[in-house]
Amino acid sequence: LARDLGLFGRPLLPSACTMVKSMMALLWPTSGRSHCGGGSRGPGCRSSLTILAAVTITTSLPLVFGEQPFAKVPWAFATVRPVPRSHRRGGSDRGGAVVVSAANVIDGGGYEDNGGGGVYRPFASYAWTKLAESGLFLPEFGPGESDGGGVGTVPDDLRSNTSAARGRVDGSRVNVEVRSMRGIDGGPIRLARYALLETMDPADGREGETVCAANAIHVLNLVAFPNPEWRGCGGEPLPVLGMDLVSLPGDKHLVAIDFQPLTPLPETEERRVLPERYIDFESLLEGLHRRHCIESDKLPWGGDIPPQAQRYFSPRAVWTRLLGPEALGTVQGAVWSAYQDYLDLYLELMLQAKRDTEGGPDDSHDAEEEEEAMKGALEGQRSYLEYRRANDPARPMLKSLYGEEWTERLIEEVLFQHI
């Protein structure tokens, strides 16, 4: 309800909190039991009623006190909490929408899974947990630890950085976190990594604590690169998993989620993205795109893609621009769902690819043709990396926040390193 009505980010004045309590006394007597939707929900219904009361008050205050009654009140941000498994639609063992509680709308707070973070912290946490537990990667070394044998892929001085957030309250920071894992030897994935930018404001009345800054810079760039030397489909390349989630001041959000091709797609009607061996996964990918982008109007097409970038987008891409105060709710609902679906399918594809070669390389293809195809896959990945290095749209923002030297090293050595 809070998401649909655009309540994110609005704190209540102390007097308004008193009004909420008074309304709650009427809406929810201390004795007895309320039944919502045919069943007793207890605290869940109480939270819904509290949010409803808060919506009533916060949306009415402009009519009484003018258009900007909160102009001098620091904005808080509603905590994003993954839906408990028992409450997810269809009994799925993973996410539906992300939800908020009335208490968190009022007093801000941090994410349930990590004690505090920005808009895309739960997205990054979900993906990294799934990747690390998949068995497709070597162990990741934590911040400050030595790589021991060169397995770590992020130099210590590039793992994090921070800068003052311009135009916000004193103490606001834009933090960046970079993590990376290498794939197991002979596996279908070469590398996975992410860069996460979060704007954090100082928590009102809680010294040393921070809360997610609403209507500010929040970015997640997560990429999984296939192993170009993987021999499972006669040299046919597996796609890159590319996920770019960007939120900017002015209620602007850009989303690109895709199985990105490394070589030009065949000029056929279906324009197949995956190797022919995985035609069943192709059907599943097409189904995800249809459900999230065609049958639903929540993630409309984001407009023309520059010609030089078109070869790196597939027909199954989620590409959208979201604007306005309600857009954040779409990010935390429809985008969250699509993000999980695409990530999970990519991991399922790669796990199947790993199983297909556990007994050794596939020798059913002509060796010479396979070698040529693998060279094409390698060149395709090099071309992709070169394009991203030269055209990274985040470069100007990173330079302004962290300086040119650090930014160029991050792009060259970590995000789109040479292979």
Side-chain angles (χ1 to χ4, degrees):
L1 177 62
R3 181 176 67 245
D4 294 341
L5 295 179
L7 184 60
F8 287 97
R10 291 199 170 189
L12 297 179
L13 297 173
S15 58
C17 293
T18 302
M19 294 171 65
V20 170
K21 293 177 182 178
S22 299
M23 293 183 67
M24 285 300 303
L26 297 174
L27 292 169
W28 187 276
T30 55
S31 61
R33 178 178 293 180
S34 173
H35 295 268
C36 298
S40 175
R41 302 288 179 88
C45 272
R46 187 164 192 156
S47 293
S48 297
L49 291 172
T50 305
I51 292 177
L52 181 58
V55 171
T56 303
I57 293 168
T58 54
T59 55
S60 299
L61 281 174
L63 301 178
V64 180
F65 299 106
E67 288 300 316
Q68 294 183 320
F70 301 107
K72 295 184 179 181
V73 180
W75 280 42
F77 186 81
T79 293
V80 181
R81 295 181 182 273
V83 179
R85 292 190 178 188
S86 58
H87 296 165
R88 289 173 182 164
R89 298 190 186 102
S92 173
D93 65 350
R94 56 170 196 74
V98 289
V99 297
V100 299
S101 72
N104 291 321
V105 172
I106 293 170
D107 65 11
Y111 291 101
E112 183 176 50
D113 62 342
N114 70 346
V119 171
Y120 296 116
R121 173 66 58 174
F123 290 73
S125 297
Y126 178 85
W128 215 242
T129 298
K130 299 279 284 193
L131 292 168
E133 294 177 352
S134 68
L136 294 168
F137 296 90
L138 299 172
E140 179 194 18
F141 292 95
E145 295 180 354
S146 169
D147 63 18
V151 176
T153 56
V154 183
D156 288 347
D157 61 336
L158 295 179
R159 291 180 179 178
S160 63
N161 209 334
T162 185
S163 176
R166 298 166 189 168
R168 301 194 66 85
V169 298
D170 289 343
S172 296
R173 310 290 297 178
V174 182
N175 304 322
V176 60
E177 172 185 293
V178 183
R179 300 180 70 173
S180 181
M181 290 187 293
R182 285 182 177 169
I184 58 175
D185 293 341
I189 298 183
R190 178 179 67 84
L191 179 79
R193 60 107 186 112
Y194 76 68
L196 176 67
L197 273 74
E198 303 174 301
T199 304
M200 306 298 292
D201 285 344
D204 189 22
R206 302 199 297 272
E207 186 175 355
E209 295 185 29
T210 58
V211 295
C212 175
N215 201 11
I217 295 173
H218 295 274
V219 178
L220 174 64
N221 170 245
L222 186 147
V223 181
F225 296 99
N227 180 0
E229 298 180 353
W230 177 75
R231 299 182 60 190
C233 296
E236 281 191 88
L238 294 164
V240 168
L241 175 66
M243 310 179 99
D244 287 284
L245 312 176
V246 180
S247 295
L248 299 171
D251 294 316
K252 300 173 184 177
H253 309 267
L254 295 88
V255 175
I257 301 172
D258 196 14
F259 284 30
Q260 298 179 298
L262 291 173
T263 56
L265 296 178
E267 293 298 329
T268 58
E269 184 176 349
E270 68 275 10
R271 300 201 68 202
R272 181 167 49 83
V273 178
L274 303 180
E276 187 175 4
R277 180 173 187 170
Y278 298 116
I279 193 67
D280 290 345
F281 283 91
E282 186 85 33
S283 298
L284 292 172
L285 179 59
E286 184 179 2
L288 290 184
H289 181 262
R290 183 170 58 251
R291 180 164 79 248
H292 291 294
C293 301
I294 299 175
E295 296 174 353
S296 171
D297 61 358
K298 293 185 180 296
L299 303 176
W301 180 248
D304 292 341
I305 297 170
Q308 64 271 26
Q310 288 178 5
R311 64 163 289 188
Y312 301 116
F313 275 79
S314 84
R316 319 288 186 246
V318 177
W319 160 234
T320 189
R321 300 173 189 261
L322 305 170
L323 302 173
E326 297 82 15
L328 183 59
T330 303
V331 168
Q332 295 175 320
V335 173
W336 171 246
S337 179
Y339 174 90
Q340 291 178 101
D341 283 344
Y342 273 67
L343 175 78
D344 289 357
L345 182 62
Y346 190 83
L347 276 179
E348 291 168 10
L349 168 67
M350 291 303 183
L351 286 169
Q352 183 59 53
K354 177 177 178 287
R355 287 190 290 269
D356 289 342
T357 54
E358 284 179 343
D362 183 356
D363 295 326
S364 62
H365 301 89
D366 180 83
E368 187 173 337
E369 291 182 1
E370 183 179 44
E371 191 68 26
E372 285 300 312
M374 290 174 65
K375 287 181 180 179
L378 178 60
E379 288 305 312
Q381 191 160 156
R382 285 174 173 165
S383 175
Y384 174 90
L385 292 167
E386 179 59 35
Y387 174 80
R388 294 299 301 265
R389 278 194 298 271
N391 299 277
D392 188 356
R395 178 182 266 109
M397 178 176 62
L398 291 172
K399 283 184 178 181
S400 69
L401 290 169
Y402 310 116
E404 181 173 2
E405 181 180 356
W406 191 89
T407 296
E408 292 302 328
R409 283 193 59 213
L410 179 69
I411 293 172
E412 291 280 337
E413 298 179 26
V414 180
L415 300 186
F416 306 109
Q417 60 187 185
H418 297 262
I419 61 170

